[in-house]
Amino acid sequence: MDIISIRTDLALESRDFLAETGDTQIEGLVSEEYSSGNIKVTSISIQTEEAGARMEKPRGTYVTLELPPIEDCEPAERAECSRIICSEIRKMVSIDAGTKTLVVGLGNHDITSDALGPKTASGIIVTRHSFIILGREDCSDISDVSVITPGVMGTTGIETVDMIQGIVEKTKPDLVIAIDALASRNVSRITTTIQMCDTGISPGAGVGNNRKGINEDTLGVKVLAIGVPTVINTSSIIYDIVAEYSKRKDVKNNIMLGPVGDAMRNFSQELNRNPESSRRLISMLPENMIVTPGNIDEIISGFASVLSGGINLALHPGLSLEDISNYIN
């Protein structure tokens, strides 16, 4: 039986999960961290094929922002988060007044937990028509930006990447920024985490519904991916509950009695002795379910505002967050 793979789209979680199993020295994997106020930024560079195989991620750079729960963030914290997103985008790719960018809001706007992409896309300042109609090639405050929300294959009948390929061939952007909902292995990350990477994205990968990748190989242009975990797999929840349970004093001291207590205690003891064995046991569960928080609408709204602010700052260097807010509202 294969050992269960705790599903996550986050490179930071993949690195930490390997560390939990004792796999701490991975050649070709480099991490750097810095903080800005209450926001922690971790950059993980996967530099070799071996490191990519261990992380189950393509080679490239993955930047994770960890912040207070988005629903509790003050306006100043959200603004700082947008500024960091802008800065990290500009580290990953060179953007100037001549850059043509296509922003793609992936996901299903009718399903709240999958609506991050369309919601964020609605806050992007679109300028391509101005460049076409008014010939604004000499404008240094803004760049050429277009936006699409292609929907999902279940409602369009068309592979998302095929739709994007057609638009890329017609409009010829220099850069594609894809925004999508992700999956995490930790419930708390659904309100506190943003991931950016320069490796592109696989729509639906977070829920095991893999589609063709949206990346430089398939589109022929640089692709940045930005996402927020909005769902978690039930096996991840069970694993974390048992892991947390194993740390409790009443478990260690055999105070909790009864069949349930015995089962949990035995499982937690096995988890401490052999994490891989525990994951193997969890893999025997029936088909997993995907869950999301009850206030996911508030979470999506908060993150969409922060992401669109950061992307707008990066693509339109002459605009401030106040300018962007006034334009959108």
mmCIF file of all heavy atoms in Angstrom, residues 88-130:
data_model
loop_
_atom_site.group_PDB
_atom_site.id
_atom_site.type_symbol
_atom_site.label_atom_id
_atom_site.label_comp_id
_atom_site.label_asym_id
_atom_site.label_seq_id
_atom_site.Cartn_x
_atom_site.Cartn_y
_atom_site.Cartn_z
ATOM 1 N N GLU A 88 7.595 41.295 -4.509
ATOM 2 C CA GLU A 88 7.990 39.935 -4.864
ATOM 3 C C GLU A 88 7.709 39.636 -6.339
ATOM 4 O O GLU A 88 8.467 38.901 -6.971
ATOM 5 C CB GLU A 88 7.281 38.926 -3.960
ATOM 6 C CG GLU A 88 7.707 38.997 -2.495
ATOM 7 C CD GLU A 88 9.178 38.689 -2.282
ATOM 8 O OE1 GLU A 88 9.759 37.927 -3.094
ATOM 9 O OE2 GLU A 88 9.754 39.194 -1.299
ATOM 10 N N ILE A 89 6.629 40.180 -6.876
ATOM 11 C CA ILE A 89 6.368 40.025 -8.313
ATOM 12 C C ILE A 89 7.508 40.617 -9.109
ATOM 13 O O ILE A 89 8.021 40.025 -10.071
ATOM 14 C CB ILE A 89 5.033 40.694 -8.704
ATOM 15 C CG1 ILE A 89 3.844 39.894 -8.176
ATOM 16 C CG2 ILE A 89 4.923 40.828 -10.236
ATOM 17 C CD1 ILE A 89 2.499 40.544 -8.416
ATOM 18 N N ARG A 90 7.949 41.803 -8.709
ATOM 19 C CA ARG A 90 9.013 42.493 -9.437
ATOM 20 C C ARG A 90 10.372 41.824 -9.246
ATOM 21 O O ARG A 90 11.272 42.021 -10.060
ATOM 22 C CB ARG A 90 9.057 43.965 -9.029
ATOM 23 C CG ARG A 90 7.855 44.729 -9.576
ATOM 24 C CD ARG A 90 7.843 46.190 -9.175
ATOM 25 N NE ARG A 90 6.875 46.899 -10.011
ATOM 26 C CZ ARG A 90 7.161 47.482 -11.160
ATOM 27 N NH1 ARG A 90 8.402 47.452 -11.624
ATOM 28 N NH2 ARG A 90 6.235 48.099 -11.864
ATOM 29 N N LYS A 91 10.535 41.033 -8.193
ATOM 30 C CA LYS A 91 11.754 40.242 -8.049
ATOM 31 C C LYS A 91 11.753 39.054 -9.015
ATOM 32 O O LYS A 91 12.803 38.635 -9.501
ATOM 33 C CB LYS A 91 11.889 39.719 -6.612
ATOM 34 C CG LYS A 91 12.241 40.771 -5.577
ATOM 35 C CD LYS A 91 12.323 40.129 -4.205
ATOM 36 C CE LYS A 91 12.530 41.156 -3.096
ATOM 37 N NZ LYS A 91 12.553 40.517 -1.754
ATOM 38 N N MET A 92 10.568 38.514 -9.260
ATOM 39 C CA MET A 92 10.462 37.327 -10.097
ATOM 40 C C MET A 92 10.527 37.646 -11.581
ATOM 41 O O MET A 92 10.974 36.816 -12.385
ATOM 42 C CB MET A 92 9.140 36.592 -9.795
ATOM 43 C CG MET A 92 9.090 35.916 -8.449
ATOM 44 S SD MET A 92 7.528 35.016 -8.223
ATOM 45 C CE MET A 92 7.771 34.330 -6.588
ATOM 46 N N VAL A 93 10.073 38.832 -11.959
ATOM 47 C CA VAL A 93 10.016 39.171 -13.382
ATOM 48 C C VAL A 93 10.186 40.672 -13.550
ATOM 49 O O VAL A 93 9.732 41.461 -12.715
ATOM 50 C CB VAL A 93 8.678 38.708 -14.000
ATOM 51 C CG1 VAL A 93 7.498 39.427 -13.384
ATOM 52 C CG2 VAL A 93 8.682 38.847 -15.509
ATOM 53 N N SER A 94 10.834 41.071 -14.624
ATOM 54 C CA SER A 94 11.035 42.491 -14.913
ATOM 55 C C SER A 94 9.781 43.056 -15.576
ATOM 56 O O SER A 94 9.284 42.505 -16.565
ATOM 57 C CB SER A 94 12.243 42.665 -15.840
ATOM 58 O OG SER A 94 12.406 44.011 -16.217
ATOM 59 N N ILE A 95 9.261 44.142 -15.020
ATOM 60 C CA ILE A 95 8.063 44.786 -15.551
ATOM 61 C C ILE A 95 8.359 46.259 -15.771
ATOM 62 O O ILE A 95 8.878 46.939 -14.884
ATOM 63 C CB ILE A 95 6.870 44.645 -14.578
ATOM 64 C CG1 ILE A 95 6.519 43.171 -14.372
ATOM 65 C CG2 ILE A 95 5.649 45.411 -15.102
ATOM 66 C CD1 ILE A 95 5.468 42.938 -13.303
ATOM 67 N N ASP A 96 8.056 46.749 -16.967
ATOM 68 C CA ASP A 96 8.196 48.177 -17.240
ATOM 69 C C ASP A 96 6.996 48.641 -18.051
ATOM 70 O O ASP A 96 6.037 47.874 -18.265
ATOM 71 C CB ASP A 96 9.510 48.484 -17.971
ATOM 72 C CG ASP A 96 9.659 47.688 -19.274
ATOM 73 O OD1 ASP A 96 8.632 47.447 -19.961
ATOM 74 O OD2 ASP A 96 10.791 47.316 -19.600
ATOM 75 N N ALA A 97 7.029 49.890 -18.510
ATOM 76 C CA ALA A 97 5.877 50.460 -19.215
ATOM 77 C C ALA A 97 5.554 49.708 -20.498
ATOM 78 O O ALA A 97 4.419 49.744 -20.976
ATOM 79 C CB ALA A 97 6.133 51.938 -19.517
ATOM 80 N N GLY A 98 6.534 49.002 -21.047
ATOM 81 C CA GLY A 98 6.294 48.277 -22.291
ATOM 82 C C GLY A 98 5.820 46.853 -22.109
ATOM 83 O O GLY A 98 5.512 46.168 -23.087
ATOM 84 N N THR A 99 5.742 46.394 -20.860
ATOM 85 C CA THR A 99 5.333 45.018 -20.593
ATOM 86 C C THR A 99 3.843 44.827 -20.824
ATOM 87 O O THR A 99 3.025 45.623 -20.373
ATOM 88 C CB THR A 99 5.666 44.630 -19.139
ATOM 89 O OG1 THR A 99 7.065 44.795 -18.908
ATOM 90 C CG2 THR A 99 5.288 43.172 -18.865
ATOM 91 N N LYS A 100 3.505 43.767 -21.542
ATOM 92 C CA LYS A 100 2.100 43.401 -21.756
ATOM 93 C C LYS A 100 1.779 42.190 -20.882
ATOM 94 O O LYS A 100 2.436 41.160 -20.981
ATOM 95 C CB LYS A 100 1.853 43.060 -23.226
ATOM 96 C CG LYS A 100 2.072 44.231 -24.176
ATOM 97 C CD LYS A 100 1.788 43.818 -25.609
ATOM 98 C CE LYS A 100 1.995 44.978 -26.573
ATOM 99 N NZ LYS A 100 1.730 44.580 -27.977
ATOM 100 N N THR A 101 0.777 42.348 -20.034
ATOM 101 C CA THR A 101 0.448 41.299 -19.063
ATOM 102 C C THR A 101 -0.995 40.836 -19.225
ATOM 103 O O THR A 101 -1.907 41.654 -19.369
ATOM 104 C CB THR A 101 0.640 41.808 -17.621
ATOM 105 O OG1 THR A 101 1.965 42.297 -17.464
ATOM 106 C CG2 THR A 101 0.391 40.691 -16.615
ATOM 107 N N LEU A 102 -1.172 39.524 -19.197
ATOM 108 C CA LEU A 102 -2.511 38.927 -19.163
ATOM 109 C C LEU A 102 -2.725 38.339 -17.773
ATOM 110 O O LEU A 102 -1.975 37.462 -17.334
ATOM 111 C CB LEU A 102 -2.637 37.819 -20.212
ATOM 112 C CG LEU A 102 -3.934 36.980 -20.166
ATOM 113 C CD1 LEU A 102 -5.152 37.853 -20.469
ATOM 114 C CD2 LEU A 102 -3.853 35.797 -21.131
ATOM 115 N N VAL A 103 -3.729 38.841 -17.059
ATOM 116 C CA VAL A 103 -4.076 38.321 -15.735
ATOM 117 C C VAL A 103 -5.230 37.338 -15.898
ATOM 118 O O VAL A 103 -6.258 37.676 -16.505
ATOM 119 C CB VAL A 103 -4.472 39.458 -14.773
ATOM 120 C CG1 VAL A 103 -4.884 38.885 -13.420
ATOM 121 C CG2 VAL A 103 -3.310 40.438 -14.601
ATOM 122 N N VAL A 104 -5.062 36.142 -15.360
ATOM 123 C CA VAL A 104 -6.052 35.079 -15.515
ATOM 124 C C VAL A 104 -6.625 34.717 -14.152
ATOM 125 O O VAL A 104 -5.896 34.252 -13.262
ATOM 126 C CB VAL A 104 -5.425 33.829 -16.166
ATOM 127 C CG1 VAL A 104 -6.501 32.749 -16.354
ATOM 128 C CG2 VAL A 104 -4.773 34.178 -17.495
ATOM 129 N N GLY A 105 -7.918 34.940 -13.973
ATOM 130 C CA GLY A 105 -8.591 34.571 -12.730
ATOM 131 C C GLY A 105 -9.194 33.191 -12.861
ATOM 132 O O GLY A 105 -10.282 33.034 -13.438
ATOM 133 N N LEU A 106 -8.496 32.182 -12.361
ATOM 134 C CA LEU A 106 -8.951 30.799 -12.486
ATOM 135 C C LEU A 106 -9.981 30.461 -11.414
ATOM 136 O O LEU A 106 -9.978 31.029 -10.323
ATOM 137 C CB LEU A 106 -7.761 29.849 -12.348
ATOM 138 C CG LEU A 106 -6.666 29.991 -13.413
ATOM 139 C CD1 LEU A 106 -5.428 29.203 -13.001
ATOM 140 C CD2 LEU A 106 -7.182 29.505 -14.765
ATOM 141 N N GLY A 107 -10.861 29.519 -11.739
ATOM 142 C CA GLY A 107 -11.825 29.049 -10.753
ATOM 143 C C GLY A 107 -13.260 29.285 -11.165
ATOM 144 O O GLY A 107 -13.554 29.855 -12.219
ATOM 145 N N ASN A 108 -14.152 28.836 -10.299
ATOM 146 C CA ASN A 108 -15.592 28.900 -10.541
ATOM 147 C C ASN A 108 -16.206 29.982 -9.655
ATOM 148 O O ASN A 108 -16.254 29.833 -8.430
ATOM 149 C CB ASN A 108 -16.216 27.536 -10.233
ATOM 150 C CG ASN A 108 -17.668 27.455 -10.643
ATOM 151 O OD1 ASN A 108 -18.338 28.469 -10.813
ATOM 152 N ND2 ASN A 108 -18.163 26.240 -10.806
ATOM 153 N N HIS A 109 -16.671 31.066 -10.249
ATOM 154 C CA HIS A 109 -17.203 32.177 -9.448
ATOM 155 C C HIS A 109 -18.493 31.812 -8.728
ATOM 156 O O HIS A 109 -18.927 32.518 -7.810
ATOM 157 C CB HIS A 109 -17.425 33.414 -10.318
ATOM 158 C CG HIS A 109 -18.451 33.226 -11.394
ATOM 159 N ND1 HIS A 109 -19.791 33.347 -11.159
ATOM 160 C CD2 HIS A 109 -18.324 32.922 -12.710
ATOM 161 C CE1 HIS A 109 -20.464 33.127 -12.282
ATOM 162 N NE2 HIS A 109 -19.592 32.863 -13.238
ATOM 163 N N ASP A 110 -19.134 30.686 -9.102
ATOM 164 C CA ASP A 110 -20.368 30.263 -8.444
ATOM 165 C C ASP A 110 -20.120 29.446 -7.177
ATOM 166 O O ASP A 110 -21.056 29.149 -6.433
ATOM 167 C CB ASP A 110 -21.219 29.431 -9.410
ATOM 168 C CG ASP A 110 -21.790 30.278 -10.538
ATOM 169 O OD1 ASP A 110 -22.100 31.458 -10.284
ATOM 170 O OD2 ASP A 110 -21.910 29.774 -11.667
ATOM 171 N N ILE A 111 -18.881 29.039 -6.950
ATOM 172 C CA ILE A 111 -18.523 28.281 -5.747
ATOM 173 C C ILE A 111 -17.560 29.139 -4.943
ATOM 174 O O ILE A 111 -16.441 29.405 -5.372
ATOM 175 C CB ILE A 111 -17.868 26.927 -6.110
ATOM 176 C CG1 ILE A 111 -18.849 26.086 -6.927
ATOM 177 C CG2 ILE A 111 -17.428 26.195 -4.846
ATOM 178 C CD1 ILE A 111 -18.274 24.771 -7.406
ATOM 179 N N THR A 112 -17.988 29.587 -3.770
ATOM 180 C CA THR A 112 -17.230 30.589 -3.025
ATOM 181 C C THR A 112 -15.791 30.189 -2.783
ATOM 182 O O THR A 112 -14.873 30.990 -2.966
ATOM 183 C CB THR A 112 -17.920 30.884 -1.679
ATOM 184 O OG1 THR A 112 -19.288 31.199 -1.905
ATOM 185 C CG2 THR A 112 -17.250 32.041 -0.974
ATOM 186 N N SER A 113 -15.551 28.948 -2.367
ATOM 187 C CA SER A 113 -14.183 28.531 -2.057
ATOM 188 C C SER A 113 -13.297 28.479 -3.290
ATOM 189 O O SER A 113 -12.071 28.419 -3.177
ATOM 190 C CB SER A 113 -14.190 27.161 -1.372
ATOM 191 O OG SER A 113 -14.750 26.175 -2.227
ATOM 192 N N ASP A 114 -13.902 28.507 -4.482
ATOM 193 C CA ASP A 114 -13.143 28.449 -5.732
ATOM 194 C C ASP A 114 -13.195 29.775 -6.488
ATOM 195 O O ASP A 114 -12.809 29.847 -7.653
ATOM 196 C CB ASP A 114 -13.689 27.323 -6.623
ATOM 197 C CG ASP A 114 -12.727 26.937 -7.739
ATOM 198 O OD1 ASP A 114 -11.501 27.018 -7.515
ATOM 199 O OD2 ASP A 114 -13.195 26.568 -8.823
ATOM 200 N N ALA A 115 -13.671 30.815 -5.831
ATOM 201 C CA ALA A 115 -13.906 32.089 -6.522
ATOM 202 C C ALA A 115 -12.785 33.104 -6.339
ATOM 203 O O ALA A 115 -12.921 34.252 -6.759
ATOM 204 C CB ALA A 115 -15.224 32.696 -6.030
ATOM 205 N N LEU A 116 -11.667 32.698 -5.736
ATOM 206 C CA LEU A 116 -10.580 33.649 -5.512
ATOM 207 C C LEU A 116 -10.097 34.277 -6.812
ATOM 208 O O LEU A 116 -9.908 35.493 -6.895
ATOM 209 C CB LEU A 116 -9.407 32.960 -4.811
ATOM 210 C CG LEU A 116 -8.184 33.855 -4.595
ATOM 211 C CD1 LEU A 116 -8.448 34.882 -3.506
ATOM 212 C CD2 LEU A 116 -6.951 33.011 -4.254
ATOM 213 N N GLY A 117 -9.892 33.448 -7.842
ATOM 214 C CA GLY A 117 -9.384 33.958 -9.115
ATOM 215 C C GLY A 117 -10.303 34.986 -9.755
ATOM 216 O O GLY A 117 -9.889 36.126 -10.040
ATOM 217 N N PRO A 118 -11.577 34.641 -9.998
ATOM 218 C CA PRO A 118 -12.504 35.616 -10.586
ATOM 219 C C PRO A 118 -12.682 36.861 -9.724
ATOM 220 O O PRO A 118 -12.776 37.976 -10.247
ATOM 221 C CB PRO A 118 -13.815 34.828 -10.703
ATOM 222 C CG PRO A 118 -13.395 33.401 -10.786
ATOM 223 C CD PRO A 118 -12.176 33.295 -9.917
ATOM 224 N N LYS A 119 -12.731 36.674 -8.401
ATOM 225 C CA LYS A 119 -12.916 37.817 -7.501
ATOM 226 C C LYS A 119 -11.718 38.760 -7.568
ATOM 227 O O LYS A 119 -11.869 39.985 -7.609
ATOM 228 C CB LYS A 119 -13.103 37.299 -6.072
ATOM 229 C CG LYS A 119 -13.459 38.369 -5.049
ATOM 230 C CD LYS A 119 -14.921 38.697 -5.061
ATOM 231 C CE LYS A 119 -15.278 39.613 -3.905
ATOM 232 N NZ LYS A 119 -16.688 40.030 -3.933
ATOM 233 N N THR A 120 -10.511 38.203 -7.587
ATOM 234 C CA THR A 120 -9.311 39.031 -7.690
ATOM 235 C C THR A 120 -9.247 39.717 -9.046
ATOM 236 O O THR A 120 -8.908 40.905 -9.149
ATOM 237 C CB THR A 120 -8.045 38.174 -7.482
ATOM 238 O OG1 THR A 120 -8.103 37.539 -6.206
ATOM 239 C CG2 THR A 120 -6.792 39.027 -7.566
ATOM 240 N N ALA A 121 -9.589 38.984 -10.097
ATOM 241 C CA ALA A 121 -9.540 39.540 -11.450
ATOM 242 C C ALA A 121 -10.446 40.760 -11.590
ATOM 243 O O ALA A 121 -10.133 41.707 -12.332
ATOM 244 C CB ALA A 121 -9.921 38.475 -12.463
ATOM 245 N N SER A 122 -11.562 40.759 -10.869
ATOM 246 C CA SER A 122 -12.501 41.882 -10.963
ATOM 247 C C SER A 122 -11.917 43.164 -10.393
ATOM 248 O O SER A 122 -12.428 44.260 -10.666
ATOM 249 C CB SER A 122 -13.808 41.546 -10.245
ATOM 250 O OG SER A 122 -13.611 41.470 -8.839
ATOM 251 N N GLY A 123 -10.831 43.062 -9.606
ATOM 252 C CA GLY A 123 -10.205 44.242 -9.034
ATOM 253 C C GLY A 123 -8.960 44.704 -9.778
ATOM 254 O O GLY A 123 -8.281 45.633 -9.334
ATOM 255 N N ILE A 124 -8.646 44.067 -10.891
ATOM 256 C CA ILE A 124 -7.467 44.451 -11.679
ATOM 257 C C ILE A 124 -7.816 45.602 -12.627
ATOM 258 O O ILE A 124 -8.859 45.581 -13.290
ATOM 259 C CB ILE A 124 -6.936 43.252 -12.497
ATOM 260 C CG1 ILE A 124 -6.539 42.108 -11.553
ATOM 261 C CG2 ILE A 124 -5.748 43.674 -13.354
ATOM 262 C CD1 ILE A 124 -5.447 42.438 -10.570
ATOM 263 N N ILE A 125 -6.955 46.601 -12.675
ATOM 264 C CA ILE A 125 -7.164 47.745 -13.572
ATOM 265 C C ILE A 125 -6.736 47.353 -14.978
ATOM 266 O O ILE A 125 -5.561 47.088 -15.242
ATOM 267 C CB ILE A 125 -6.377 48.975 -13.086
ATOM 268 C CG1 ILE A 125 -6.876 49.405 -11.706
ATOM 269 C CG2 ILE A 125 -6.495 50.120 -14.077
ATOM 270 C CD1 ILE A 125 -6.099 50.549 -11.090
ATOM 271 N N VAL A 126 -7.693 47.284 -15.882
ATOM 272 C CA VAL A 126 -7.463 46.858 -17.260
ATOM 273 C C VAL A 126 -7.137 48.075 -18.127
ATOM 274 O O VAL A 126 -7.857 49.075 -18.099
ATOM 275 C CB VAL A 126 -8.712 46.129 -17.805
ATOM 276 C CG1 VAL A 126 -8.510 45.758 -19.264
ATOM 277 C CG2 VAL A 126 -9.016 44.897 -16.966
ATOM 278 N N THR A 127 -6.070 47.968 -18.914
ATOM 279 C CA THR A 127 -5.621 49.119 -19.704
ATOM 280 C C THR A 127 -5.358 48.814 -21.172
ATOM 281 O O THR A 127 -5.080 49.714 -21.948
ATOM 282 C CB THR A 127 -4.319 49.689 -19.105
ATOM 283 O OG1 THR A 127 -3.340 48.637 -19.057
ATOM 284 C CG2 THR A 127 -4.545 50.231 -17.698
ATOM 285 N N ARG A 128 -5.417 47.557 -21.568
ATOM 286 C CA ARG A 128 -5.028 47.188 -22.937
ATOM 287 C C ARG A 128 -5.810 47.978 -23.980
ATOM 288 O O ARG A 128 -5.267 48.410 -24.996
ATOM 289 C CB ARG A 128 -5.226 45.685 -23.156
ATOM 290 C CG ARG A 128 -4.777 45.221 -24.547
ATOM 291 C CD ARG A 128 -4.796 43.695 -24.659
ATOM 292 N NE ARG A 128 -4.297 43.272 -25.948
ATOM 293 C CZ ARG A 128 -5.055 43.095 -27.025
ATOM 294 N NH1 ARG A 128 -6.381 43.301 -26.934
ATOM 295 N NH2 ARG A 128 -4.539 42.723 -28.172
ATOM 296 N N HIS A 129 -7.111 48.186 -23.725
ATOM 297 C CA HIS A 129 -7.935 48.914 -24.690
ATOM 298 C C HIS A 129 -7.461 50.360 -24.850
ATOM 299 O O HIS A 129 -7.534 50.925 -25.939
ATOM 300 C CB HIS A 129 -9.405 48.892 -24.255
ATOM 301 C CG HIS A 129 -9.638 49.438 -22.886
ATOM 302 N ND1 HIS A 129 -9.106 48.871 -21.755
ATOM 303 C CD2 HIS A 129 -10.348 50.510 -22.451
ATOM 304 C CE1 HIS A 129 -9.480 49.551 -20.685
ATOM 305 N NE2 HIS A 129 -10.230 50.566 -21.084
ATOM 306 N N SER A 130 -6.945 50.940 -23.762
ATOM 307 C CA SER A 130 -6.427 52.307 -23.858
ATOM 308 C C SER A 130 -5.199 52.366 -24.759
ATOM 309 O O SER A 130 -5.029 53.300 -25.535
ATOM 310 C CB SER A 130 -6.064 52.838 -22.465
ATOM 311 O OG SER A 130 -7.209 52.946 -21.657
#
